[in-house]
């Protein structure tokens, strides 16, 4: 069976370019990916541990951390961890350890498939779902089934590009270039187009959802968190698209692709970490504080919240 244009381009690039050597930008990406993975594990541990401690049904409803929200939040953690793991696919020191000669460009094709065909659509869908659920705009856990469906269009598009033979779908090979002149992973132009479509779909939805949450927030602290989440999502994601798109067209220096790729990863890392902190870790912290106050006086926590109202 004939290979697709994207796969054929990657195989040819593997023959024409040397095995890439990791530089400072690659090690910075690896360190940041490990940090994100560690934060995701910490968030999941906090959520599961607190959910196990909050055994009373009434307490679950008060803290809004019952099974209906625990599942989607764990799903959010999973997609954040997958996004960090996918970043490893484009790092040179994994290519030489796991792949045969002349195949070092193939993970550069797998990276956008996993990161932006599965992980990032799932992450954004989970954030949107949790924001809508917090204002009564989504019913959980039934609505959580929509998260895999939200990934399906983007995953399907990536698979079609990689699997459709060149005789069926012919397009310029430049759209599928996945490596720069010395073998570092670049970002294919077709993947940049799909990522732009993903961000264009979710940015207005997330902005509206954050503003809806801020409009009904019961105190200044929750309102500030909603606005902070909107800024930490709306600003980094367009920067991510711009940075990764540049790696598909700019091949002027051996450090161009790793450095610009690092900028793109830092941008999405800011958004991913903000979702973990604001949607999982801070609510759990607030709930633990509330649990400590419950035995002292039933009115205590309510008075604390009232003091913050604005």
């Amino acid at each position: 069976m004939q290979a697709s244009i994207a796969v054929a381009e990657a195989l040819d690039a593997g023959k024409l370019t040397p095995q890439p050597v990791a530089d400072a930008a690659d090690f910075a990406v690896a360190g940041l990916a490990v940090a994100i993975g560690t934060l995701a594990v910490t968030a999941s541990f906090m959520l599961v541990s607190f959910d196990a401690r909050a055994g009373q049904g009434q307490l679950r409803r008060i803290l809004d951390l019952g099974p209906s929200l625990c599942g989607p939040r764990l799903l959010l953690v999973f997609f954040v961890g997958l996004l960090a793991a996918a970043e490893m696919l484009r790092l040179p020191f994994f290519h030489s350890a796991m792949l045969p000669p002349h195949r070092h460009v193939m993970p550069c094709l797998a990276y956008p498939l996993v990161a932006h065909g599965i992980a990032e659509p799932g992450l954004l869908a989970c954030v949107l779902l949790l924001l809508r659920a917090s204002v009564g705009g989504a019913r959980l856990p039934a609505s959580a089934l929509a998260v895999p469906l939200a990934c399906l269009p983007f995953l399907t598009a990536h698979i079609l590009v990689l699997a459709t033979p060149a005789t069926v779908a012919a397009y310029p090979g430049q759209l599928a270039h996945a490596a720069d002149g010395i073998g570092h992973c670049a970002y294919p132009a077709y993947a940049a187009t799909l990522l732009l479509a993903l961000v264009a779909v979710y940015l207005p939805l997330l902005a509206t959802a954050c503003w809806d949450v801020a409009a009904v927030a019961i105190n200044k602290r929750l309102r500030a968190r909603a606005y902070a989440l909107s800024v930490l999502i709306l600003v980094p994601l367009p920067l991510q698209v711009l940075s990764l798109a540049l790696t598909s067209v700019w091949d002027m220096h051996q450090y161009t692709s790793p450095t610009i790729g690092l900028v793109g990863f830092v941008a999405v890392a800011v958004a991913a970490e903000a979702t973990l902190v604001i949607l999982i870790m801070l609510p759990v912290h607030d709930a633990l504080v509330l649990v400590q106050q419950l035995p002292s006086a039933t009115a205590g926590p309510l008075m604390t919240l009232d003091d913050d109202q604005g």
Side-chain angles (χ1 to χ4, degrees):
M1 183 176 179
Q2 187 179 14
S4 66
I5 292 178
V7 173
E9 287 286 334
L11 293 174
D12 290 341
K15 298 175 183 178
L16 298 174
T17 60
Q19 187 79 26
V21 178
D23 59 10
D26 295 316
F27 285 103
V29 168
L32 184 57
V34 171
I36 295 174
T38 303
L39 187 65
V41 171
T42 303
S44 62
F45 177 79
M46 289 178 61
L47 183 58
V48 172
S49 298
F50 181 79
D51 188 66
R53 291 175 56 188
Q56 300 89 345
Q58 181 181 6
L59 188 59
R60 287 180 184 272
R61 289 192 294 271
I62 292 174
L63 302 179
D64 192 28
L65 283 170
S68 61
L69 282 181
C70 182
R73 283 170 170 151
L74 286 176
L75 198 57
L76 172 62
V77 171
F78 166 77
F79 284 119
V80 171
L82 181 62
L83 187 65
E87 200 68 23
M88 297 295 185
L89 290 173
R90 66 181 188 86
L91 299 182
F93 36 79
F94 288 102
H95 298 182
S96 58
M98 298 185 299
L99 297 174
H102 308 303
R103 292 292 188 274
H104 55 272
V105 181
M106 298 304 293
C108 302
L109 288 180
Y111 164 66
L113 170 68
V114 178
H116 306 132
I118 303 175
E120 194 161 339
L123 187 157
L124 297 178
C126 285
V127 173
L128 182 62
L129 176 65
L130 289 170
L131 291 172
R132 287 302 182 196
S134 66
V135 295
R139 292 185 177 182
L140 297 175
S143 297
L145 298 176
V147 173
L149 296 178
C151 303
L152 191 58
F154 301 98
L155 176 61
T156 302
H158 279 277
I159 292 176
L160 287 176
V161 172
L162 296 179
T164 305
T167 54
V168 176
Y171 52 87
Q174 290 83 355
L175 298 178
H177 281 173
D180 62 13
I182 61 168
H184 282 103
C185 284
Y187 199 71
Y190 75 85
T193 303
L194 293 174
L195 181 60
L196 176 61
L198 172 67
V199 172
V201 168
Y202 275 98
L203 232 58
L205 295 176
L206 291 171
T208 303
C210 288
W211 295 334
D212 288 345
V213 172
V216 300
I218 61 174
N219 56 58
K220 294 178 180 178
R221 179 174 53 188
L222 297 180
R223 191 177 302 117
R225 290 178 187 175
Y227 286 132
L229 183 62
S230 67
V231 172
L232 293 173
I233 290 179
L234 299 181
V235 175
L237 291 184
L239 179 60
Q240 176 201 20
V241 174
L242 176 62
S243 300
L244 293 180
L246 280 176
T247 70
S248 66
V249 298
W250 191 359
D251 185 15
M252 298 174 60
H253 189 270
Q254 65 176 3
Y255 296 112
T256 296
S257 291
T259 303
I260 299 180
L262 172 62
V263 173
F265 185 47
V266 169
V268 74
V270 170
E273 291 179 349
T275 62
L276 290 180
V277 173
I278 295 176
L279 295 178
I280 297 179
M281 302 180 78
L282 288 179
V284 170
H285 173 268
D286 294 343
L288 290 173
V289 173
L290 180 58
V291 168
Q292 294 175 354
Q293 294 176 347
L294 281 175
S296 59
T298 57
L302 298 179
M303 292 177 62
T304 301
L305 292 175
D306 288 341
D307 290 341
D308 290 335
Q309 288 182 354

